[in-house]
Amino acid sequence: MSSFLAFDLGASSGRAMIGRLENGRLSLTEVHRFANGPTEKDGAIYWDYPQLCLELKNGLRKALAVEPELDGIGIDTWGVDYVFFDKATGKMRRWPYHYRDVRTDSPETDVWNKISKQELYERTGIQCMLLNTVYQLAAHHRMHPEDFKDSFFLTMPDALAYYLGGERTSEYTECSTTNLLDPVGKEWDWEIIDRLGLPRDVFPEIVKPCTFSGTLSEELQKELGCGPVPIIKVGSHDTASAVAAVPAPESGSWAYISAGTWALLGAEIEKPFRNADSEKNSFTNEGGLDGKIRFLSNIMGSWLFQETRRVWNETKPTPVSFAEMEQMALSSEPCRFLINPNDASFVTPGDMPQRIIDFCERTGQGKITNDGEVVRAIYDSLALYFRTKLNVLAQLLGTRYQCLNVVGGGTKDGLLMQLTADALNFPVVAGPVEATAIGNLLAQAMAAGKVGSLAEARRVVNSSFEVKTYVPDAARHAFYNSQIERFEKLAK
Ligand SMILES: C[C@H](O)[C@H](O)[C@@H](O)C(=O)CO
């Protein structure tokens, strides 16, 4: 039996999960869970990196209490964000910015005057989002040029691995979210970097997933009373780990949604796919395990529910739960109000319920009069948006899908899974919930030679974890058909 520890950090929460692999089956034990989110300081929003490091140490201490002989530690986090460190002292230079901070709202002057949006896509195959690292580093260089002197940066999961073991390298799948990588050579695109005037020497060496990357530092070994636990580079972009754990069919084409704060809808392909249509429809080519490409598109996922609930719990006398929000939607009229889930007004933290009300009013749908209508609008719009994007994906790749795999925390939302099946008119296979941590653990097992391939890893998922299948309801599907034209006009 082998046992590994996965740290899986999302935009709203983090967890430490022990995985025990025996006879081709993986079992999970959660040992630590903690909240995560933006910290506002002087009008900007940041990640509390020092606190996240403490959470890793607490999680490791708890893990060692139940499993003293760990065979490895792997870290995955959300994409695009990074931390600057001083080359000489190794100390953090500045709290890392949160990707929803508005400093990247001058893309023309920061980036496009030097390299156009089209050329960026042609070179990197990455969908244009102003939260991408290319826009963040360009804005950072404009605002804090001193941070680029005698320093280096590490992408977020690697900055956390650096705290544990001191390695100054970044893992490929996370680097693939920067919009600064050559997706064929899997290396930094130095021409883009030079044309943006960013110094090459701050860029970390890129290493492959499923490889060993040093051990726990002597200082932490001493403090925690353990040995040199190996640190393993996994699919450190959380979505890469989630996709690795999709219990996909061994043959035939399959599509997935990794559902969490974001809903990442896509397919796994052998090599980058870039053309004018894939760019226009915001499909991106992020790196996966086994040299695969995650051809996907970002859709605002649970963020719309999270931010709505946060505002209500700050303004209403009694807190509301996600389960209550689901009930509110169930008792509201379907498709009375619809939104474009990816509307720019929904990106930054703020009064989400009011923004949804404003979206519906400015699109001539009339005035929302109660909370249930706000939540129902999110549900119906996400289900219809998944349908629209999946149709575009099928057209781009010249294939047809008869089933959709959904993995991640978002699968706990049974109503969203059911409405998605209704909108698509084919089954939605939901699970596992902890796909990201599972993919992290299996990547460690692959590095340790306990699992031979990505296909074998998916067989382990299939034989270890339950899934739930949602089948479409014909009447609700017919109703969504009557709404799709109206929706697609709104979602343009
Ligand atoms: C910005 C998002 O974090 C990123 O695009 C997404 O892929 C992700 O990391 C979801 O956790």
Side-chain angles (χ1 to χ4, degrees):
M1 193 242 345
S2 313
S3 60
F4 301 98
L5 175 61
F7 286 106
D8 169 30
L9 285 78
S12 62
S13 65
R15 61 209 54 78
M17 198 78 82
I18 290 178
R20 294 185 179 86
L21 182 66
E22 194 162 24
N23 307 327
R25 294 175 64 85
L26 183 69
S27 62
L28 301 181
T29 309
E30 181 177 293
V31 291
H32 187 48
R33 181 175 282 265
F34 51 95
N36 190 17
T39 298
E40 206 254 324
K41 273 204 296 187
D42 317 327
I45 50 175
Y46 301 88
W47 298 104
D48 185 343
Y49 172 75
Q51 179 59 32
L52 293 178
C53 292
L54 273 184
E55 296 292 358
L56 259 60
K57 187 158 66 177
N58 293 342
L60 186 49
R61 183 180 286 113
K62 290 179 181 177
L64 290 165
V66 291
E67 191 66 68
E69 300 304 321
L70 288 170
D71 298 299
I73 300 170
I75 301 171
D76 70 74
T77 78
W78 64 95
V80 300
D81 289 337
Y82 58 88
V83 186
F84 262 102
F85 298 94
D86 185 90
K87 218 170 240 165
T89 65
K91 294 260 176 296
M92 174 183 74
R93 276 282 183 89
R94 178 186 305 279
W95 274 36
Y97 280 90
H98 188 293
Y99 63 77
R100 291 186 196 275
D101 184 84
V102 295
R103 66 188 174 142
T104 55
D105 57 9
S106 320
E108 283 82 11
T109 45
D110 283 344
V111 176
W112 296 336
N113 291 355
K114 296 154 187 152
I115 182 164
S116 71
K117 193 165 32 174
Q118 288 68 31
E119 188 179 354
L120 261 180
Y121 188 82
E122 283 152 15
R123 295 186 71 97
T124 66
I126 295 296
Q127 67 190 316
C128 175
M129 296 190 296
L130 299 188
L131 49 80
N132 288 347
T133 319
V134 63
Y135 299 103
Q136 294 201 47
L137 283 173
H140 198 138
H141 197 232
R142 163 173 47 82
M143 296 161 67
H144 312 293
E146 71 282 6
D147 285 358
F148 291 74
K149 295 203 174 43
D150 309 319
S151 65
F152 63 98
F153 77 83
L154 294 173
T155 42
M156 190 55 77
D158 308 283
L160 293 166
Y162 172 67
Y163 163 72
L164 290 182
E167 292 275 315
R168 299 183 177 189
T169 59
S170 273
E171 185 274 324
Y172 156 66
T173 66
E174 182 75 6
C175 293
S176 75
T177 71
T178 62
N179 209 171
L180 287 162
L181 207 76
D182 160 13
V184 177
K186 299 182 173 33
E187 248 310 335
W188 296 115
D189 185 323
W190 296 116
E191 176 166 342
I192 297 174
I193 292 164
D194 293 347
R195 283 164 66 178
L196 293 175
L198 300 172
R200 291 189 180 200
D201 66 353
V202 302
F203 283 79
E205 175 202 350
I206 299 177
V207 295
K208 287 199 172 76
C210 306
T211 57
F212 284 88
S213 173
T215 68
L216 203 56
S217 68
E218 282 175 18
E219 188 192 337
L220 281 171
Q221 289 175 43
K222 209 144 144 269
E223 185 178 342
L224 298 169
C226 67
V229 184
I231 295 173
I232 302 175
K233 293 288 188 184
V234 298
S236 68
H237 179 212
D238 55 7
T239 313
S241 282
V243 171
V246 171
E250 297 249 357
S251 60
S253 61
W254 51 280
Y256 58 79
I257 293 180
S258 171
T261 298
W262 289 86
L264 298 312
L265 181 148
E268 183 173 79
I269 58 178
E270 297 302 322
K271 55 185 177 49
F273 182 105
R274 299 166 272 190
N275 64 24
D277 285 337
S278 63
E279 185 199 357
K280 185 164 64 56
N281 288 286
S282 294
F283 272 89
T284 202
N285 292 270
E286 291 174 349
L289 296 194
D290 228 8
K292 308 281 187 199
I293 292 290
R294 293 174 290 121
F295 186 65
L296 60 84
S297 194
N298 275 51
I299 301 169
M300 305 269 195
S302 309
W303 165 251
L304 298 167
F305 294 119
Q306 291 166 4
E307 206 48 12
T308 296
R309 179 169 170 265
R310 180 186 66 76
V311 170
W312 282 346
N313 287 354
E314 283 172 8
T315 55
K316 292 181 180 296
T318 48
V320 59
S321 69
F322 289 119
E324 283 160 342
M325 287 167 79
E326 203 170 331
Q327 289 313 312
M328 289 156 73
L330 271 171
S331 51
S332 299
E333 181 191 345
C335 293
R336 169 67 187 83
F337 295 98
L338 292 172
I339 59 170
N340 169 5
N342 272 11
D343 189 75
S345 66
F346 301 145
V347 173
T348 55
D351 188 346
M352 192 65 79
Q354 189 55 48
R355 290 176 185 173
I356 290 172
I357 293 168
D358 296 346
F359 180 96
C360 294
E361 206 149 352
R362 75 169 179 270
T363 51
Q365 300 179 66
K367 198 163 183 45
I368 284 181
T369 55
N370 63 60
D371 297 348
E373 289 173 340
V374 169
V375 184
R376 184 76 205 202
I378 302 174
Y379 272 103
D380 290 324
S381 306
L382 281 176
L384 288 167
Y385 203 81
F386 295 158
R387 167 179 164 160
T388 303
K389 273 287 180 182
L390 199 66
N391 288 342
V392 172
L393 177 68
Q395 277 155 23
L396 287 169
L397 298 182
T399 187
R400 274 174 59 76
Y401 299 108
Q402 274 119 3
C403 167
L404 174 69
N405 282 92
V406 184
V407 297
T411 60
K412 289 187 276 186
D413 189 332
L415 177 59
L416 184 59
M417 296 301 106
Q418 182 59 56
L419 295 179
T420 300
D422 296 339
L424 296 173
N425 200 26
F426 52 62
V428 163
V429 176
V433 170
E434 296 294 350
T436 306
I438 293 166
N440 176 322
L441 293 162
L442 290 170
Q444 295 186 60
M446 288 163 77
K450 305 297 180 188
V451 169
S453 66
L454 184 54
E456 186 186 333
R458 290 185 172 130
R459 284 196 287 275
V460 171
V461 176
N462 266 311
S463 61
S464 307
F465 300 98
E466 294 297 310
V467 295
K468 180 169 179 182
T469 300
Y470 294 81
V471 293
D473 170 88
R476 286 196 298 265
H477 176 62
F479 175 70
Y480 272 141
N481 279 348
S482 70
Q483 302 299 314
I484 194 70
E485 203 179 318
R486 168 183 161 222
F487 173 75
E488 289 183 345
K489 277 205 196 90
L490 286 169
K492 275 234 166 15

